[in-house]
Structures are given as structure tokens and as C-alpha cells.
Amino acid sequence: ERDEALEAERAAISRASEQASLILKLESEVEVMRLTGGGNTSLQSQLSDAEATISRLQDDISSFQAEAAEVKAQKLHNQNVQVLREQARSAEQRVARAEAQMQEVPRLEEKCKNLEAEVAEWSSAVRSISGLNGPSDISRVIGDLQREVELQKQIAGEHSAQVIRVQSVLSEAEMRCKDAEARVETTERSL
């Protein structure tokens, strides 16, 4: 369509240019006839014919100019149609992308609900820990708990050492007790 419109515009411009050249030539000839022929009726007739031809050619030029203007308008219309088609394709692509993203909405809503439930659960857990006023206190409380665990390990180690000492003392006492019982038995037998 665009090539045809462009070709038609070029043809109209070419015809108008040819007609304009012909008019200039005829006007020159008419002027020469006027200057040289004065009262000659044959020349007057030719002059009239030339003026009629000039008038007809001027009408043709006007027609060609109108045709060229129409071709330009058609060309502009075709360009506008092309731009509108591009805009429509672009809009269709945006709609397709939006529809694809809309497909994701239920999954994303579900994910948000799950995250909100998890945050609520963590918030509840944080509120249930004594000495914890908010998320910023978590590291302090964890540090306190780690120190407490270390202290309890140390105390448990000390208790284990005490238990071992007590077991050792008890074991010694049991051995002495057995020795004493054995001596008492030996003494009783010897009596």
C-alpha cells in the first residue's frame, strides 16, 4: 500500500512538472505571437488556441496537484493506520502479560497468608519468652541463655566431680566397713 501510494505521488508530481514546463513554453510562444502578430487573424486564432491549451493545462496541473495532495493524505492515513496497528499489538502484549501475572495472584495470595501466619506464630513465640519485649531483644536473651547454659555445664561438672569424690569416699568406707566386719568375724572366731 505504501509503495503504491508513493509511486502514485511521484507520478502525479512528474505529470504536474511536465505540464508546468509545457505551459511555460506555450506562454512564451503566445507572448511572441502577440508581439509579432498584432492584427493577423490566423495568428489571433492560434493565440486563442494556445491560450485555451494553456488554460486546459493549468486545469490539469490543478488536478494533478489535487491528486498529489490526495496521495499525500492517503500516505499519511496509511502511516497513521500502521502506527495504530503497532499500538494495538503493543496493547495486546501488555494485556497478555497482565493476564499472565493475574494467574499468579492466587498463588501469591496463598503465599502471603502463609507468611502472615508464620509471622503471627513467631510473634506469639516471642511474646511467650520472659524478658523478651520485642524482636530486638532476641539476641540479648539468646546470649543470656547461652551464658546460663555454660554456667549450668560448669555446675554440672562440679556436681559430677563431687559425686565422684562421694562415690570414692563411699567406696573407701564400704571397704573399711568390710575390713572391720572381717576383723570382727575373725575376732569372734578366735574367741
Side-chain angles (χ1 to χ4, degrees):
E1 290 177 9
R2 292 175 63 188
D3 290 339
E4 290 174 10
L6 190 59
E7 190 59 37
E9 180 182 7
R10 285 182 184 147
I13 290 171
S14 175
R15 286 191 305 265
S17 177
E18 289 171 5
Q19 296 295 338
S21 295
L22 187 55
I23 286 174
L24 288 175
K25 181 180 175 193
L26 287 174
E27 283 178 341
S28 297
E29 289 176 5
V30 166
E31 191 59 34
V32 168
M33 283 183 200
R34 276 191 190 138
L35 293 174
T36 58
N40 187 342
T41 54
S42 158
L43 205 51
Q44 288 293 336
S45 170
Q46 286 179 352
L47 187 59
S48 262
D49 288 346
E51 286 175 343
T53 302
I54 289 172
S55 177
R56 184 180 49 79
L57 290 174
Q58 286 174 336
D59 289 343
D60 286 348
I61 285 177
S62 294
S63 172
F64 292 144
Q65 287 173 339
E67 186 180 325
E70 185 179 322
V71 167
K72 283 182 183 178
Q74 182 64 36
K75 180 180 173 184
L76 182 61
H77 173 74
N78 289 344
Q79 288 172 342
N80 289 340
V81 166
Q82 187 63 28
V83 167
L84 291 174
R85 283 181 182 155
E86 289 294 326
Q87 289 174 345
R89 274 194 292 273
S90 178
E92 287 173 355
Q93 289 171 349
R94 285 193 306 273
V95 166
R97 284 192 303 272
E99 287 174 349
Q101 289 174 348
M102 289 299 292
Q103 300 287 331
E104 291 290 314
V105 169
R107 185 185 66 79
L108 293 173
E109 286 175 343
E110 183 65 27
K111 189 174 182 178
C112 283
K113 285 180 188 176
N114 292 339
L115 289 173
E116 287 171 353
E118 188 176 337
V119 166
E121 192 175 322
W122 277 107
S123 295
S124 175
V126 165
R127 283 191 297 274
S128 69
I129 299 172
S130 66
L132 197 61
N133 298 321
S136 61
D137 291 339
I138 291 175
S139 62
R140 179 187 52 79
V141 169
I142 288 175
D144 291 346
L145 289 172
Q146 286 174 335
R147 284 188 289 283
E148 184 66 28
V149 165
E150 290 300 319
L151 180 62
Q152 292 302 322
K153 282 182 183 178
Q154 188 179 19
I155 290 171
E158 290 172 6
H159 284 233
S160 291
Q162 258 183 340
V163 166
I164 290 172
R165 283 193 300 272
V166 168
Q167 284 175 342
S168 176
V169 169
L170 182 61
S171 185
E172 247 179 73
E174 284 177 347
M175 285 175 60
R176 282 189 204 147
C177 186
K178 283 183 186 176
D179 280 347
E181 284 175 2
R183 277 188 266 148
V184 167
E185 223 180 89
T186 317
T187 309
E188 280 180 356
R189 276 192 220 159
S190 49
L191 284 171

